[in-house]
Structures are given as C-alpha cells and as structure tokens.
Amino acid sequence: MSECVDPIVGKILAGWRYDISGLASEMRGDFKRLKRETESGKSAAVVAAAPDKTWPRLGYARSAMLLAAVIVLVTASLWLRTAPPPPRVLSITQLTHDNRPKSTLVTDGQRLYFDEVVGERSVLSQVSAAGGDIAQIPTPFTNAFLYDVASGRSEL
C-alpha cells in the first residue's frame, strides 16, 4: 500500500508551494485511482507483500543502544551522587610549646605565621612548619595584625 501512496506524497511535497489549486485536483484524481485499484484488487499484491525484515532488527539494535545508554547514565549518576568519606586526622604534630593562644594562621609553605598576645600587645610570630621554637617578627607598630601572605610569598 505504501508503494501506491509514496508517489502521491512525493508529488505533494514537491509542488505544494507553487500550484495549490492544480495540485488539489491532481491529488483528487490520484486518490480516486488508488481507491479503484484497491477495490478492484489490482494493488492487493502490493498490500500482501512480505514485510521488510531489516526494520525489526534495526529497532532491536536501537533499543539495545538506548538501554545501554540509560544503564551507563544511571550508574554514573549514582556513582557521582555518593558522598566521599569524611576526612580523618592521621597524625598531629605539636608546633609550639608556650601555651599562648594563637590566631590568624597563614603559611608560605615552609613557615607558619600567626598573631599572639604577649603581655598586652598583639605581635606577629613565626614557627617552622615542622615545629620548633617561636620567633617574633619585629614590627614598628604597637599592635600588629596578620591578614594574609602576599602572592609572591615574600611579604605578610
């Protein structure tokens, strides 16, 4: 049946923009002829033709690919959704031994810099990242506060 309808549809798609009125009368004639052929049994052979066997195979292949893609997406979303385990403290190294409270800790990688209160003044101090004795950084200010290490890692 589709072999009889295909030329009509092709004619519609090819000329529908240019001559609508002439195309309509041609289509009416084509459909009447198709109806006569179908009722008289001339196109019965076309209707009873063997179905195309490549379509179901192609459908199964597409279904299999779609199913595989869905499985991959579900697995990936579940894997990405799981939270990593919480961090654990593996070891602790005591860096100072003076029992003074420290604040505003920054580092340049090799040394730790921080504020600490000595007497009634806030001073800047430093210590090696591996631990050791604290060394105060002399400043001309009465109270010095630390904010960050410069990007060149040479200034506080």
Side-chain angles (χ1 to χ4, degrees), residues 14-89:
W16 72 275
R17 292 185 190 174
Y18 307 111
D19 186 19
I20 298 293
S21 61
L23 185 62
S25 63
E26 288 178 23
M27 281 179 37
R28 183 179 55 214
D30 289 340
F31 281 121
K32 283 184 179 181
R33 183 175 38 85
L34 180 62
K35 183 178 179 186
R36 275 193 312 265
E37 289 176 0
T38 305
E39 289 173 352
S40 69
K42 288 182 182 177
S43 64
V46 174
V47 174
D52 188 12
K53 293 187 179 187
T54 60
W55 172 248
R57 188 178 304 147
L58 184 59
Y60 292 135
R62 285 184 182 167
S63 298
M65 288 189 302
L66 180 63
L67 180 63
V70 167
I71 290 172
V72 166
L73 288 175
V74 168
T75 304
S77 67
L78 289 175
W79 181 69
L80 292 174
R81 232 179 80 185
T82 57
R88 297 181 309 159
V89 177

Side-chain angles (χ1 to χ4, degrees), residues 126-138:
Q126 65 180 343
V127 68
S128 171
D133 292 331
I134 295 174
Q136 290 185 356
I137 301 172

